[in-house]
Amino acid sequence: MKWCRYISILLPTLLVQPSPSQNALPDQVFEVLQESGLRFDRLAQSWDEGLPLGNGMLGALLWEKDGRLRIALDRADLWDMRPVPQLLQPEFSFRWVLDHVEQNNYRPVQEMFDVPYDREATPTKLPGAALEFAVPMGDAVQSAELRLSDAMATVVWKNAMWLETFVHATEPQGWFRLSNAPPGLRPAIVPPPFSLPHGGHAEGISGPEGNDLRRLNYASPVIAQGPDSIVYTQQCANGLSYQVRVRWKYAAATVMVGTWTISTNTPYPLSAGKSPRLLVPDEEGYQEAYRSHTQWWQRYWSRSSLLVPDSILQRQWYLEQYKFGSAARRGAPPISLQAVWTADNGRLPPWKGDFHNDLNTQLSYWPCYAANHLEEGAGFLDWLWLCRPTSERYTRTFYGTSGLNVPGVATLNGDPMGGWIQYSFSPTVSCWLAQHFYLQWRYSMDTTFLKTRAYPWLAATAQHLEEIAIEGTDGYRELPLSSSPEINDNRIDAWFRSTTNYDLALIHWLYEKAAELARELGRVEDTRRWESARSQWPELAVVPGTSALLVAPGVPLVESHRHFSHLMAIHPLGVLDWGRSERERSIISASLSALEHTGTSLWCGYSYSWLGNMWARARDGAKAAEALRTFATCFCLPNSFHANGDQSGTGKSSFTYRPFTLEGNFAFAAGLQEMLLQSQNGTILLFPAVPSAWQSASFTGFRAEGAFLVSATLAGGKVDSAHIISERGGTLRLMNPFPGAPPIVHGRPIATEQLQQPVITLEMEAGSEITFTRESP
């Protein structure tokens, strides 16, 4: 770009600009990262289109508001935990709900548990504050850019002023450096509008994407101004308080270097050892912080990469990997609806920025397994384990069972929040969450994790299911009340008296995997127990004749719907698998055909991402790519944030609103990964769902079940090579990608007969490698 060359000549000593020669990444990956970043000719005018930065705990959004440069600041554990009073009442029980359903008197249940979620302002995630700089904006800006390789946002002005800013990858601090700054410039802290004006009232202050922050009615903030610092202190409710601290220093006459942090008196319990502190904001400190920050991102990007001949899908994947690296960390809260990018518009975040465990949290962690980011994904499981005592208390109090279930809508502490209780109080939430414990085990083969986390979670969930189930009229077990998110919204008929396919798929999956893990641990009695328990539940309900999955026995999906809950057995659970039998292929094909028939008018963006994953499991690469491309081009804001509604005006959905949530973004990334590599049920498939038009593609460092690291290339529409590393040792099962002509093998001798089998099977030692290469014709 001409402007980049111009500024580099003008300010050669002031720019932090990585180059391939300085970068530990392969040149090709570095170049793709540079091409995949965000570039605009001015800053966004809306917070949800800002340039995002983050490290799992702290986050920032760079945008323009009212003619000022603005950096919205966030911290993941800023939460107002004031509870919903109704959830503390004696009526808080599954039995009370069941009685009202049986009496066909459901309005009291809605008033007790659904209405307060919309009516009450708390519990809720809170924004931090904003930094503002009184510098020329609008047309005075020449470019605004987010670089993915080093997670750096930059703004260049036409008068040669230059801003660089990043949130340190591992430390609780953000940095900024403004070169050629106007004399006397100093930043300002803008607090969120938490307080009502004197004599004001909160009634009626609401909107479709979050209620007015003034409803929280906090005390006025205290802002202490120093010559080169600002400290903003906010007293909230129930003893909660937090501080935003900013320091800066002029490294030269017109070069301002600054740092910021946010601290709270109630930090996330797993963040020990990460006390926020402000370093001396000088040039040396800035450069040292940048070096360690960049080292983390280089390690992150080196774990996996891909190249596909669809520039839209490839770029979106790298943007999603960037956001995942910015939002997911061990020692920080898990990814909530907006993660570390809470709304900066004077309102509560969409859906209070909470933890929706009926889809959103689960989808957000789908990509971490194949993309080889288990460490970042483990933060989700750490949180679930931390909240386990709270979940066990909820299970005893609400369901009257032992074992474990988790609220479908939860606070940072894991407490229930209510709202559409068919899903927020669903009896199978913990089953879906259990899949992430299972996947962490299967992709890592960490036996300590298996013994201390994965199996205990699945076993406790199975115990809850055993106790809540009742004897059905057909002799099978069933749930007293069942649901299928979010069919029939929160009406009484959203409760089904026959167990839905959503719940059945989860129950079958849970018992099957609990038995598998018990068998792995040598727990013979447990294995028999869970196998027997699974046999007591009915099979999935299908349409007679076509075999398409129903919502519940006798209940087809008759209209468009955003949540594909009735198809959970296909993906993500894999209870039905394309490669297992003709019958299962028939059910999958009929179910996806029926889904297409109902249309997309009531879909959200995440629906298309999820559909991409399902078409990949059905080995249809063209349809998988089409669904993912629709998500990327129609349901994302210019900064790549998922907006839920169709932003394209092309009629992909009747929803055209724009509440930002992240699950659609990360489900997209998982979908592209599913097209390139699958390993569910223990067999590795290379390029199982790529369009026939894709003659070339590759991926490096992907992770498969069994703790295998896989890199592969596609050339001329055929698998050309595959390199596999076994981290833990064990049996490799590879669907033979070289039919008819045995490949050249490097790393160990293999009999020709083995290489001619439909599935290549061999034992590998821990740390061993093997390479397969197609023999040239």
Side-chain angles (χ1 to χ4, degrees):
M1 295 181 180
K2 291 182 178 179
W3 63 263
C4 188
R5 290 196 295 271
Y6 168 72
I7 295 296
S8 297
I9 294 170
L10 186 65
L11 302 170
T13 64
L14 301 180
L15 303 184
V16 177
Q17 185 89 341
S19 66
S21 62
Q22 300 170 326
N23 203 301
L25 298 173
D27 287 358
Q28 191 174 30
V29 174
F30 180 82
E31 291 168 4
V32 170
L33 287 172
Q34 296 301 86
E35 294 168 359
S36 300
L38 300 174
R39 297 176 184 85
F40 306 102
D41 59 9
R42 62 178 299 167
L43 274 171
Q45 309 291 298
S46 176
W47 71 272
D48 54 5
E49 296 182 15
L51 300 179
L53 302 165
N55 65 9
M57 180 61 81
L58 296 184
L61 288 167
L62 188 63
W63 63 295
E64 176 188 342
K65 182 178 182 182
D66 299 331
R68 289 175 177 263
L69 173 67
R70 187 174 175 99
I71 307 176
L73 311 180
D74 195 14
R75 181 176 164 117
D77 57 1
L78 294 183
W79 266 79
D80 187 323
M81 297 289 194
R82 284 178 287 180
V84 177
Q86 288 80 356
L87 304 190
L88 306 176
Q89 301 302 314
E91 292 84 356
F92 183 67
S93 78
F94 194 61
R95 179 73 253 179
W96 186 81
V97 175
L98 177 59
D99 288 344
H100 280 75
V101 172
E102 290 177 338
Q103 297 163 12
N104 197 30
N105 180 27
Y106 198 63
R107 186 60 188 170
V109 178
Q110 295 169 322
E111 290 288 343
M112 180 66 67
F113 298 135
D114 293 352
V115 172
Y117 180 86
D118 295 320
R119 183 181 61 213
E120 305 296 332
T122 61
T124 185
K125 173 71 177 69
L126 301 174
L131 274 179
E132 285 195 347
F133 298 80
V135 294
M137 296 302 297
D139 292 339
V141 171
Q142 183 159 304
S143 67
E145 178 179 356
L146 174 67
R147 292 199 307 259
L148 303 189
S149 60
D150 60 344
M152 172 80 82
T154 61
V155 182
V156 176
W157 280 261
K158 294 175 181 177
N159 66 0
M161 188 164 59
W162 175 283
L163 171 73
E164 299 170 332
T165 182
F166 63 94
V167 172
H168 195 284
T170 60
E171 298 297 328
Q173 58 195 229
W175 287 84
F176 58 89
R177 183 171 65 175
L178 191 61
S179 303
N180 286 351
L185 178 69
R186 55 180 291 137
I189 285 185
V190 181
F194 287 135
S195 306
L196 287 168
H198 182 69
H201 298 281
E203 290 80 1
I205 303 175
S206 62
E209 296 179 10
N211 294 325
D212 196 299
L213 285 175
R214 291 174 293 175
R215 295 187 61 201
L216 299 173
N217 200 21
Y218 296 158
S220 297
V222 175
I223 300 178
Q225 302 267 5
D228 57 2
S229 67
I230 310 174
V231 178
Y232 155 53
T233 303
Q234 180 66 63
Q235 298 294 329
C236 302
N238 292 354
L240 169 68
S241 66
Y242 70 89
Q243 275 192 344
V244 180
R245 289 174 288 157
V246 187
R247 288 182 63 185
W248 64 90
K249 182 177 180 180
Y250 275 87
T254 60
V255 180
M256 175 194 288
V257 177
T259 182
W260 61 270
T261 192
I262 305 177
S263 60
T264 173
N265 65 343
T266 57
Y268 182 57
L270 300 182
S271 65
K274 288 292 184 181
S275 300
R277 60 192 180 95
L278 284 183
L279 302 178
V280 176
D282 57 17
E283 185 65 24
E284 182 180 355
Y286 181 88
Q287 294 292 348
E288 178 55 36
Y290 176 74
R291 278 191 292 271
S292 57
H293 164 78
T294 305
Q295 287 169 0
W296 187 93
W297 277 100
Q298 287 183 354
R299 289 192 298 271
Y300 179 83
W301 288 120
S302 69
R303 291 196 192 111
S304 62
S305 60
L306 61 77
L307 295 171
V308 297
D310 186 316
S311 60
I312 292 173
L313 300 191
Q314 178 175 284
R315 180 173 185 256
Q316 190 75 26
W317 186 82
Y318 280 100
L319 286 167
E320 306 310 1
Q321 293 301 313
Y322 167 78
K323 291 197 289 293
F324 189 81
S326 300
R329 286 291 190 288
R330 299 197 84 166
I335 298 170
S336 60
L337 293 177
Q338 293 86 30
V340 290
W341 301 300
T342 302
D344 183 30
N345 60 355
R347 312 187 78 82
L348 300 178
W351 297 287
K352 301 180 181 177
D354 60 33
F355 298 95
H356 267 47
N357 296 319
D358 71 336
L359 176 146
N360 305 77
T361 57
Q362 291 94 330
L363 271 61
S364 291
Y365 286 90
W366 279 355
C368 74
Y369 304 106
N372 196 18
H373 294 301
L374 297 187
E375 177 71 11
E376 288 72 29
F380 181 36
L381 307 180
D382 291 342
W383 174 72
L384 289 170
W385 198 260
L386 175 69
C387 295
R388 182 175 173 175
T390 300
S391 298
E392 290 171 335
R393 183 174 63 249
Y394 159 75
T395 305
R396 290 191 303 270
T397 301
F398 186 72
Y399 300 101
T401 66
S402 60
L404 179 67
N405 197 30
V406 175
V409 178
T411 69
L412 177 62
N413 290 344
D415 288 314
M417 295 176 61
W420 288 27
I421 65 166
Q422 290 89 343
Y423 327 114
S424 65
F425 296 163
S426 164
T428 59
V429 171
S430 194
C431 297
W432 195 350
L433 296 171
Q435 190 189 27
H436 284 275
F437 282 90
Y438 175 80
L439 293 176
Q440 184 78 10
W441 147 246
R442 284 294 298 149
Y443 280 83
S444 70
M445 301 305 289
D446 182 337
T447 54
T448 300
F449 181 83
L450 168 64
K451 294 174 184 177
T452 63
R453 294 287 178 92
Y455 182 68
W457 186 278
L458 269 69
T461 302
Q463 174 70 31
H464 160 68
L465 289 177
E466 280 194 322
E467 295 185 22
I468 199 172
I470 61 175
E471 192 75 20
T473 56
D474 56 1
Y476 286 107
R477 305 287 280 172
E478 66 181 17
L479 294 175
L481 290 176
S482 184
S483 66
S484 187
E486 299 171 333
I487 304 296
N488 297 335
D489 296 340
N490 68 330
R491 304 194 306 265
I492 188 172
D493 59 350
W495 287 117
F496 293 83
R497 301 314 302 268
S498 297
T499 306
T500 64
N501 273 342
Y502 170 78
D503 283 331
L504 267 179
L506 287 165
I507 291 166
H508 278 291
W509 180 91
L510 191 283
Y511 281 130
E512 177 191 350
K513 300 308 180 184
E516 176 188 326
L517 299 192
R519 189 179 306 111
E520 183 75 24
L521 292 170
R523 303 176 69 121
V524 177
E525 290 303 316
D526 281 6
T527 303
R528 292 171 180 163
R529 177 185 178 185
W530 306 135
E531 288 175 342
S532 173
R534 184 186 182 190
S535 70
Q536 298 170 34
W537 290 83
E539 294 298 315
L540 297 167
V542 299
V543 177
T546 70
S547 297
L549 289 168
L550 294 163
V551 174
V555 183
L557 184 69
V558 295
E559 64 180 0
S560 178
H561 197 272
R562 60 194 172 275
H563 196 310
F564 307 148
S565 53
H566 66 302
L567 303 183
M568 287 282 289
I570 301 173
H571 183 275
L573 299 178
V575 172
L576 299 172
D577 186 78
W578 187 266
R580 187 181 291 127
S581 68
E582 180 60 39
R583 178 179 179 274
E584 293 190 15
R585 283 193 291 275
S586 175
I587 294 173
I588 293 170
S589 293
S591 300
L592 292 178
S593 176
L595 186 68
E596 286 184 312
H597 181 72
T598 59
T600 67
S601 63
L602 297 179
W603 287 16
C604 292
Y606 71 74
S607 310
Y608 284 93
S609 293
W610 193 352
L611 182 65
N613 283 266
M614 286 196 288
W615 278 124
R617 288 286 176 95
R619 315 280 176 87
D620 192 325
K623 287 188 175 181
E626 179 185 11
L628 296 178
R629 197 176 300 110
T630 297
F631 170 83
T633 57
C634 300
F635 289 85
C636 291
L637 299 175
N639 65 351
S640 82
F641 280 175
H642 166 228
N644 277 272
D646 180 6
Q647 307 300 300
S648 69
T650 59
K652 298 298 190 297
S653 173
S654 61
F655 293 129
T656 57
Y657 59 176
R658 54 180 287 168
F660 148 54
T661 57
L662 284 162
E663 73 294 322
N665 291 113
F666 300 132
F668 169 94
L672 185 51
Q673 292 163 197
E674 288 275 353
M675 294 172 65
L676 303 179
L677 175 72
Q678 294 181 27
S679 62
Q680 67 276 9
N681 300 320
T683 300
I684 295 174
L685 286 73
L686 304 178
F687 304 103
V690 296
S692 59
W694 288 16
Q695 292 297 293
S696 63
S698 66
F699 60 87
T700 303
F702 275 23
R703 183 176 285 269
E705 290 192 19
F708 295 101
L709 297 179
V710 185
S711 302
T713 59
L714 188 76
K718 298 178 180 180
V719 176
D720 189 60
S721 66
H723 180 71
I724 300 174
I725 302 172
S726 176
E727 276 192 342
R728 300 274 180 166
T731 303
L732 170 69
R733 290 176 52 84
L734 173 67
M735 186 66 68
N736 194 338
F738 307 102
I744 299 170
V745 180
H746 301 279
R748 60 175 290 176
I750 302 178
T752 302
E753 293 77 13
Q754 282 182 277
L755 297 175
Q756 293 173 332
Q757 297 298 314
V759 177
I760 300 173
T761 304
L762 64 148
E763 296 299 319
M764 296 187 70
E765 300 286 338
S768 63
E769 305 181 25
I770 190 166
T771 301
F772 302 92
T773 305
R774 179 175 295 280
E775 192 158 10
S776 300

